[in-house]
Structure formats: structure tokens, C-alpha cells
Amino acid sequence: MISQLDKINEFIARLDTETLTVLNRISVEKIFKKGDFLLRQDEVCKKSFWVVKGTARKYYLNDGKEITTELYFDNDIAISFDSYCLQKPSREFIQVLTDTTISQTDFSSFQTAKQQFPKLAILDLMMTEYYAMWLEDRLFQFHTMDATSRYSKLIQDHPYIVQNIPLTFIASYLGVSLETLSRIRAKK
């Protein structure tokens, strides 16, 4: 079965030269060092971030405590969705956890390009669908799997995660305390 990511890649491969040239002109690949921020709370998310290689996380502060809501790996879209779409201040931070290669696309340039090149509007919709499916899967896991099962799936999908991401971030992402995560890991 073809995945949404495969569909996106096939669509991009079939873009005409002019559209592809414009897309490449408004998208910049950049390397961020471990700990760098792609977005800080109260900034407007003026770029979409495609993780080419590396890991990042999205989090917010609640009573001074960092709550990790999303972890991003290769081929994930890192974005504060409402900040990006509405061009309003973000409630979240997006921070890289390893040296990470990002393809970033400027919001304003992309909006202008979509008006001139309708295939980019289709690409935008496909990317939005990809993000929505990813988010829906995350919610499904949260509501149908216990913490041990969520941890097992995370390790199965990203076996190197424990070497790259602090356990406090993983525990927060799974919605458990660090002590509970330690018990889950001890049983494995």
C-alpha cells in the first residue's frame, strides 16, 4: 500500500520544471546544531520545517514545566500549525535534539507561489493531510494504547531514540512520569 509520504514524493517528482524551480527557490536546506530552536514561544511560525535528517521536539511550558507534545524524526513536518496558518504567536517551542538537517519553506513566499503555480496548492494540501494523519495516529495511540504499548511502538519505530533523546522528554511525550517510564523500561 502506498503511503502519503510516497504520494508526496511521487507528486514532487512529476512537477514541471518551472514549478520545481520555484519550490526549490523558496525552500532552503539548513543544518541546525543540537539545542537550536526552530521556533520559540510567542514567535510567529513563519516557516514550515521538513526534517530531512535528525530529531526535534515540540513542547510548551505549563507552570514552568516543559511538556513535550511531539517528537519529529526523518521525513516529519515540524510546525506550530495554528501559528503557521494564522500567522499568530506560537504557544510552543520547536527545538532540535540532535544535529538536524531541515528543509525550511518561508510562509509568505509559499503563499505567493501557490497563487502562481496551482500544483503547489495541491502539494500544500498533501502536506497538510500528511501532518493530519500523523497527528490522528498519535491521538489514536494515546487513547487506545497503554503507556507500555506506546513506548514499545516508539522504540520499534525509532530504535535509536533512547540514545538521542533524554528520557525526561520521552516520558513527557508518552504522558507518564519519569519514574513510570523507568519501570516500563526495566520490564523490557
Side-chain angles (χ1 to χ4, degrees):
M1 181 164 141
I2 190 166
S3 73
Q4 184 71 5
L5 181 58
D6 292 332
K7 288 179 185 178
I8 291 168
N9 287 329
E10 286 177 11
F11 183 80
I12 291 171
R14 292 191 316 267
L15 287 175
D16 58 272
T17 305
E18 191 177 12
T19 304
L20 194 54
T21 299
V22 167
L23 181 60
N24 287 331
R25 190 171 54 232
I26 63 174
S27 299
V28 176
E29 195 166 284
K30 187 174 175 185
I31 297 174
F32 291 86
K33 295 292 183 191
K34 178 181 178 177
D36 286 349
F37 285 89
L38 303 177
L39 180 70
R40 292 181 187 271
Q41 184 179 37
D42 295 325
E43 292 178 349
V44 174
C45 187
K46 295 181 180 182
K47 293 176 175 42
S48 61
F49 304 100
W50 182 266
V51 179
V52 176
K53 183 163 182 55
T55 56
R57 75 174 176 135
K58 183 184 336 182
Y59 70 95
Y60 65 90
L61 297 175
N62 184 26
D63 292 329
K65 183 178 176 186
E66 295 179 4
I67 308 294
T68 300
T69 57
E70 296 179 21
L71 294 175
Y72 304 112
F73 304 96
D74 298 0
N75 297 313
D76 283 339
I77 301 166
I79 193 169
S80 174
F81 201 70
D82 64 333
S83 176
Y84 180 79
C85 291
L86 301 174
Q87 289 296 280
K88 68 176 195 172
S90 173
R91 297 174 290 190
E92 301 128 337
F93 296 84
I94 301 176
Q95 180 183 35
V96 297
L97 300 175
T98 62
D99 290 353
T100 302
T101 303
I102 298 285
S103 177
Q104 58 187 31
T105 305
D106 178 73
F107 175 84
S108 297
S109 299
F110 192 54
Q111 297 309 309
T112 301
K114 285 190 310 185
Q115 293 173 6
Q116 297 171 333
F117 299 91
K119 288 182 182 176
L120 292 180
I122 296 169
L123 178 60
D124 190 29
L125 177 61
M126 293 174 79
M127 299 290 277
T128 302
E129 289 170 346
Y130 181 65
Y131 182 73
M133 284 185 250
W134 177 89
L135 200 54
E136 184 177 70
D137 184 55
R138 169 114 168 94
L139 289 171
F140 179 81
Q141 289 177 31
F142 226 86
H143 291 288
T144 63
M145 300 169 82
D146 62 24
T148 301
S149 299
R150 289 193 311 270
Y151 176 75
S152 295
K153 178 160 179 31
L154 187 61
I155 294 300
Q156 177 187 341
D157 293 348
H158 307 285
Y160 54 88
I161 189 172
V162 176
Q163 288 83 26
N164 294 327
I165 299 178
L167 293 178
T168 54
F169 299 166
I170 295 171
S172 178
Y173 177 73
L174 294 172
V176 299
S177 68
L178 187 55
E179 294 77 19
T180 299
L181 179 59
S182 294
R183 283 193 294 276
I184 291 170
R185 292 184 72 223
K187 293 178 185 176
K188 295 281 173 187

Coordinates of all heavy atoms in Angstrom, one line a residue, residues 63-121:
D63 N 3.1 25.9 33.9 CA 3.6 26.2 35.3 C 5.1 26.0 35.4 O 5.6 25.4 36.4 CB 2.9 25.3 36.3 CG 1.4 25.7 36.4 OD1 1.1 26.9 36.3 OD2 0.6 24.8 36.7
G64 N 5.8 26.4 34.4 CA 7.3 26.3 34.4 C 7.8 24.9 34.0 O 9.0 24.7 33.9
K65 N 6.9 23.9 33.7 CA 7.3 22.6 33.4 C 7.2 22.4 31.9 O 6.2 22.8 31.3 CB 6.4 21.6 34.1 CG 6.8 20.1 33.9 CD 5.9 19.2 34.7 CE 6.3 17.8 34.3 NZ 5.3 16.8 35.0
E66 N 8.2 21.8 31.3 CA 8.2 21.5 29.8 C 7.4 20.3 29.5 O 7.6 19.2 30.1 CB 9.6 21.3 29.3 CG 10.5 22.5 29.4 CD 11.9 22.3 28.9 OE1 12.2 21.2 28.3 OE2 12.7 23.3 28.9
I67 N 6.4 20.4 28.7 CA 5.5 19.3 28.3 C 5.8 19.0 26.8 O 5.5 19.9 25.9 CB 4.0 19.7 28.5 CG1 3.7 20.1 29.9 CG2 3.1 18.5 28.1 CD1 4.0 19.1 31.0
T68 N 6.4 17.9 26.5 CA 6.7 17.5 25.1 C 5.4 17.0 24.5 O 4.9 16.0 24.9 CB 7.9 16.5 25.0 OG1 9.0 17.1 25.6 CG2 8.2 16.1 23.6
T69 N 5.0 17.6 23.4 CA 3.8 17.1 22.7 C 4.1 16.4 21.4 O 3.3 15.5 21.0 CB 2.9 18.3 22.4 OG1 3.6 19.2 21.6 CG2 2.4 19.0 23.6
E70 N 5.2 16.7 20.8 CA 5.5 16.0 19.5 C 7.0 15.7 19.5 O 7.8 16.6 19.9 CB 5.1 16.8 18.3 CG 3.6 17.0 18.2 CD 3.1 17.9 17.1 OE1 3.8 18.0 16.1 OE2 2.0 18.4 17.2
L71 N 7.4 14.6 18.9 CA 8.8 14.3 18.6 C 8.8 14.1 17.1 O 7.9 13.5 16.5 CB 9.2 13.0 19.2 CG 9.3 13.0 20.8 CD1 9.6 11.6 21.3 CD2 10.4 14.0 21.2
Y72 N 9.8 14.7 16.5 CA 10.0 14.7 15.0 C 11.2 13.9 14.6 O 12.3 14.1 15.2 CB 10.1 16.1 14.4 CG 8.9 17.0 14.8 CD1 9.1 18.1 15.7 CD2 7.7 16.8 14.3 CE1 8.1 18.9 16.0 CE2 6.6 17.6 14.6 CZ 6.8 18.7 15.5 OH 5.8 19.5 15.8
F73 N 11.1 13.1 13.6 CA 12.2 12.3 13.1 C 12.3 12.5 11.5 O 11.5 13.4 11.0 CB 11.9 10.8 13.4 CG 11.7 10.5 14.8 CD1 10.5 10.4 15.4 CD2 12.8 10.4 15.7 CE1 10.3 10.2 16.7 CE2 12.7 10.2 17.0 CZ 11.4 10.1 17.6
D74 N 13.1 11.8 10.9 CA 13.3 12.0 9.4 C 11.9 11.9 8.7 O 11.1 11.1 9.1 CB 14.1 10.8 8.9 CG 15.6 10.8 9.4 OD1 15.9 11.7 10.3 OD2 16.3 9.9 9.0
N75 N 11.7 12.8 7.8 CA 10.5 13.0 7.0 C 9.3 13.4 7.8 O 8.1 13.2 7.3 CB 10.2 11.7 6.2 CG 11.3 11.3 5.2 OD1 11.7 12.2 4.5 ND2 11.8 10.1 5.3
D76 N 9.4 14.0 8.9 CA 8.3 14.6 9.6 C 8.3 16.1 9.4 O 9.3 16.8 9.1 CB 8.4 14.4 11.1 CG 8.1 12.9 11.5 OD1 7.4 12.3 10.8 OD2 8.5 12.5 12.6
I77 N 7.1 16.7 9.5 CA 6.9 18.1 9.4 C 6.8 18.7 10.8 O 5.9 18.3 11.6 CB 5.5 18.4 8.7 CG1 5.5 17.8 7.3 CG2 5.3 19.9 8.6 CD1 4.1 17.7 6.6
A78 N 7.7 19.6 11.1 CA 7.8 20.2 12.4 C 7.2 21.6 12.2 O 7.7 22.4 11.5 CB 9.2 20.3 12.9
I79 N 6.1 21.8 12.9 CA 5.4 23.1 12.7 C 4.4 23.4 13.9 O 4.0 22.5 14.5 CB 4.5 23.0 11.4 CG1 4.0 24.4 10.9 CG2 3.4 22.0 11.5 CD1 3.4 24.3 9.5
S80 N 4.3 24.7 14.2 CA 3.2 25.1 15.1 C 2.1 25.4 14.2 O 2.0 26.5 13.6 CB 3.7 26.3 15.9 OG 2.6 26.7 16.7
F81 N 1.1 24.5 14.0 CA 0.2 24.6 12.9 C -0.7 25.8 13.0 O -0.9 26.5 12.0 CB -0.7 23.3 12.9 CG -1.4 23.1 11.6 CD1 -0.7 22.7 10.5 CD2 -2.7 23.2 11.5 CE1 -1.3 22.4 9.3 CE2 -3.4 23.0 10.3 CZ -2.6 22.6 9.2
D82 N -1.3 26.2 14.1 CA -2.1 27.3 14.2 C -1.3 28.6 14.0 O -1.8 29.6 13.4 CB -3.0 27.4 15.4 CG -2.2 27.5 16.7 OD1 -1.1 27.1 16.8 OD2 -2.8 28.0 17.7
S83 N -0.1 28.7 14.6 CA 0.7 29.8 14.4 C 1.1 30.0 12.9 O 1.1 31.1 12.4 CB 2.0 29.7 15.2 OG 2.9 30.8 15.0
Y84 N 1.4 28.9 12.2 CA 1.8 29.0 10.8 C 0.6 29.4 10.0 O 0.7 30.3 9.2 CB 2.3 27.6 10.4 CG 2.7 27.5 8.9 CD1 3.9 28.0 8.5 CD2 1.9 27.0 8.0 CE1 4.3 28.0 7.2 CE2 2.3 26.9 6.7 CZ 3.5 27.4 6.3 OH 3.9 27.3 4.9
C85 N -0.5 28.7 10.1 CA -1.7 29.0 9.3 C -2.3 30.4 9.5 O -2.7 31.1 8.6 CB -2.8 28.0 9.5 SG -2.3 26.3 8.9
L86 N -2.3 30.8 10.8 CA -2.9 32.1 11.1 C -1.9 33.2 11.3 O -2.3 34.4 11.5 CB -3.8 32.0 12.4 CG -4.9 30.9 12.3 CD1 -5.6 30.8 13.7 CD2 -5.9 31.3 11.2
Q87 N -0.7 32.9 11.2 CA 0.4 33.8 11.4 C 0.2 34.6 12.7 O 0.2 35.9 12.7 CB 0.6 34.8 10.2 CG 1.1 34.0 8.9 CD 2.6 33.5 9.2 OE1 3.5 34.3 9.1 NE2 2.7 32.3 9.5
K88 N 0.0 33.9 13.7 CA -0.1 34.5 15.1 C 1.0 33.9 16.0 O 1.6 32.8 15.6 CB -1.5 34.2 15.6 CG -1.8 32.7 15.9 CD -3.1 32.6 16.6 CE -3.2 31.2 17.2 NZ -4.5 31.0 18.0
P89 N 1.2 34.5 17.1 CA 2.3 34.0 18.0 C 2.0 32.5 18.4 O 0.9 32.1 18.7 CB 2.2 34.9 19.2 CG 1.7 36.2 18.7 CD 0.7 35.7 17.6
S90 N 3.1 31.8 18.5 CA 3.1 30.3 18.9 C 3.0 30.2 20.4 O 3.6 31.0 21.1 CB 4.3 29.6 18.3 OG 4.4 28.3 18.8
R91 N 2.3 29.1 20.8 CA 2.3 28.7 22.2 C 3.4 27.8 22.5 O 3.7 27.5 23.7 CB 0.9 28.1 22.5 CG -0.3 28.9 22.3 CD -1.5 28.1 22.5 NE -1.7 27.2 21.4 CZ -2.7 26.5 21.1 NH1 -3.8 26.6 21.9 NH2 -2.8 25.7 20.1
E92 N 4.1 27.3 21.5 CA 5.1 26.2 21.6 C 6.5 26.6 21.2 O 6.7 27.6 20.6 CB 4.6 25.0 20.8 CG 3.3 24.5 21.1 CD 2.3 24.4 19.9 OE1 2.5 25.1 18.9 OE2 1.4 23.6 20.0
F93 N 7.4 25.8 21.6 CA 8.8 25.8 21.2 C 9.0 24.6 20.3 O 8.4 23.6 20.5 CB 9.7 25.7 22.3 CG 9.7 26.8 23.4 CD1 8.7 26.7 24.4 CD2 10.6 27.8 23.4 CE1 8.7 27.7 25.4 CE2 10.5 28.8 24.3 CZ 9.6 28.7 25.3
I94 N 9.8 24.8 19.3 CA 10.3 23.6 18.5 C 11.8 23.7 18.6 O 12.5 24.7 18.2 CB 9.8 23.6 17.0 CG1 8.3 23.6 17.0 CG2 10.4 22.4 16.3 CD1 7.7 23.7 15.6
Q95 N 12.4 22.6 19.1 CA 13.9 22.6 19.3 C 14.5 21.3 18.8 O 13.9 20.2 18.9 CB 14.1 22.6 20.9 CG 15.6 22.6 21.3 CD 15.7 22.5 22.8 OE1 14.9 21.9 23.5 NE2 16.8 23.2 23.3
V96 N 15.6 21.4 18.1 CA 16.3 20.2 17.6 C 17.0 19.5 18.7 O 17.6 20.2 19.6 CB 17.2 20.5 16.4 CG1 16.4 21.0 15.2 CG2 18.4 21.4 16.7
L97 N 17.0 18.2 18.7 CA 17.6 17.4 19.8 C 18.9 16.8 19.4 O 19.7 16.3 20.3 CB 16.6 16.3 20.3 CG 15.3 16.8 20.8 CD1 14.4 15.7 21.1 CD2 15.5 17.7 22.0
T98 N 19.2 16.8 18.1 CA 20.4 16.3 17.6 C 20.8 17.3 16.5 O 20.0 18.1 16.1 CB 20.3 14.9 16.9 OG1 19.3 15.0 15.8 CG2 19.8 13.9 17.9
D99 N 22.0 17.2 16.0 CA 22.3 18.0 14.8 C 21.3 17.5 13.7 O 21.2 16.3 13.5 CB 23.8 17.8 14.3 CG 24.8 18.4 15.3 OD1 24.4 19.1 16.2 OD2 26.0 18.1 15.1
T100 N 20.6 18.5 13.1 CA 19.5 18.1 12.3 C 19.5 18.9 11.0 O 19.7 20.2 11.0 CB 18.2 18.4 13.1 OG1 18.2 17.7 14.3 CG2 16.9 18.1 12.3
T101 N 19.2 18.2 9.9 CA 19.1 18.9 8.6 C 17.6 19.2 8.4 O 16.8 18.2 8.4 CB 19.7 18.0 7.5 OG1 21.1 17.7 7.8 CG2 19.6 18.7 6.1
I102 N 17.3 20.4 8.1 CA 15.9 20.9 7.9 C 15.8 21.5 6.5 O 16.7 22.3 6.1 CB 15.6 21.9 9.0 CG1 15.6 21.3 10.4 CG2 14.2 22.5 8.7 CD1 14.5 20.4 10.8
S103 N 14.7 21.2 5.8 CA 14.3 21.9 4.7 C 13.2 22.9 5.1 O 12.2 22.4 5.5 CB 13.9 21.0 3.5 OG 13.4 21.8 2.4
Q104 N 13.5 24.2 5.1 CA 12.5 25.1 5.6 C 12.0 26.0 4.4 O 12.7 26.3 3.5 CB 13.1 26.0 6.7 CG 14.3 26.8 6.3 CD 14.9 27.5 7.5 OE1 14.8 27.1 8.6 NE2 15.5 28.6 7.2
T105 N 10.7 26.2 4.5 CA 10.0 26.9 3.4 C 9.3 28.1 4.1 O 8.5 28.0 5.0 CB 8.9 26.1 2.7 OG1 9.6 24.9 2.2 CG2 8.3 26.8 1.5
D106 N 9.6 29.3 3.5 CA 9.0 30.6 4.0 C 7.5 30.6 3.7 O 7.1 30.4 2.6 CB 9.7 31.7 3.3 CG 9.2 33.1 3.8 OD1 9.4 33.5 4.9 OD2 8.5 33.7 3.0
F107 N 6.7 31.0 4.7 CA 5.3 31.0 4.6 C 4.8 32.0 3.5 O 4.1 31.7 2.6 CB 4.6 31.4 6.0 CG 3.2 31.7 5.9 CD1 2.3 30.6 6.0 CD2 2.6 32.9 5.7 CE1 0.9 30.8 6.0 CE2 1.3 33.1 5.7 CZ 0.4 32.1 5.8
S108 N 5.3 33.2 3.6 CA 4.8 34.3 2.6 C 5.2 33.9 1.2 O 4.4 34.0 0.3 CB 5.4 35.6 3.0 OG 5.0 36.0 4.3
S109 N 6.4 33.5 1.0 CA 6.9 33.1 -0.3 C 6.0 31.9 -0.9 O 5.7 31.9 -2.0 CB 8.4 32.7 -0.3 OG 9.1 33.8 0.1
F110 N 5.7 31.0 0.0 CA 4.9 29.8 -0.4 C 3.5 30.2 -0.8 O 2.9 29.7 -1.8 CB 4.9 28.7 0.7 CG 4.4 27.4 0.2 CD1 4.9 26.8 -0.9 CD2 3.4 26.8 0.9 CE1 4.4 25.5 -1.3 CE2 2.9 25.6 0.6 CZ 3.4 24.9 -0.6
Q111 N 2.9 31.2 0.0 CA 1.6 31.6 -0.3 C 1.5 32.3 -1.7 O 0.6 32.1 -2.5 CB 1.1 32.6 0.8 CG 0.9 32.0 2.2 CD 0.2 30.7 2.2 OE1 -0.9 30.6 1.7 NE2 0.7 29.7 2.8
T112 N 2.5 33.1 -2.0 CA 2.6 33.8 -3.3 C 2.8 32.8 -4.4 O 2.1 32.9 -5.4 CB 3.8 34.8 -3.3 OG1 3.5 35.8 -2.2 CG2 3.9 35.5 -4.6
A113 N 3.7 31.8 -4.2 CA 4.0 30.8 -5.2 C 2.8 30.0 -5.5 O 2.5 29.6 -6.6 CB 5.2 30.0 -4.7
K114 N 2.0 29.7 -4.4 CA 0.8 28.8 -4.7 C -0.2 29.5 -5.6 O -0.9 28.9 -6.3 CB 0.1 28.5 -3.3 CG 0.8 27.5 -2.5 CD -0.1 27.0 -1.3 CE -0.6 28.1 -0.5 NZ -1.3 27.6 0.7
Q115 N -0.3 30.9 -5.5 CA -1.2 31.6 -6.4 C -0.8 31.5 -7.9 O -1.6 31.5 -8.8 CB -1.3 33.1 -5.9 CG -2.0 33.2 -4.6 CD -1.9 34.6 -4.1 OE1 -1.5 35.5 -4.7 NE2 -2.4 34.8 -2.8
Q116 N 0.5 31.5 -8.1 CA 1.1 31.5 -9.4 C 1.2 30.1 -10.0 O 1.2 29.9 -11.2 CB 2.4 32.2 -9.5 CG 2.4 33.7 -9.1 CD 3.8 34.3 -9.0 OE1 4.7 33.6 -8.6 NE2 3.9 35.6 -9.2
F117 N 1.4 29.1 -9.1 CA 1.6 27.7 -9.5 C 0.7 26.8 -8.8 O 0.9 26.4 -7.7 CB 3.1 27.3 -9.2 CG 4.1 28.2 -10.0 CD1 4.6 29.3 -9.4 CD2 4.5 27.8 -11.3 CE1 5.5 30.1 -10.1 CE2 5.4 28.6 -12.0 CZ 5.9 29.8 -11.4
P118 N -0.5 26.5 -9.4 CA -1.6 25.8 -8.7 C -1.1 24.4 -8.2 O -1.7 23.9 -7.2 CB -2.6 25.6 -9.7 CG -2.4 26.7 -10.7 CD -0.9 27.0 -10.7
K119 N -0.1 23.8 -8.8 CA 0.3 22.5 -8.3 C 0.9 22.6 -6.9 O 0.9 21.6 -6.1 CB 1.3 21.9 -9.2 CG 0.7 21.4 -10.5 CD 1.7 20.8 -11.5 CE 1.0 20.4 -12.8 NZ 1.9 19.8 -13.7
L120 N 1.4 23.8 -6.5 CA 1.9 24.0 -5.2 C 0.8 24.0 -4.1 O 1.0 23.6 -3.0 CB 2.8 25.2 -5.1 CG 4.1 25.1 -5.9 CD1 4.9 26.4 -5.7 CD2 5.0 24.0 -5.4
A121 N -0.4 24.4 -4.6 CA -1.5 24.4 -3.7 C -1.9 22.9 -3.4 O -2.3 22.6 -2.3 CB -2.7 25.2 -4.3

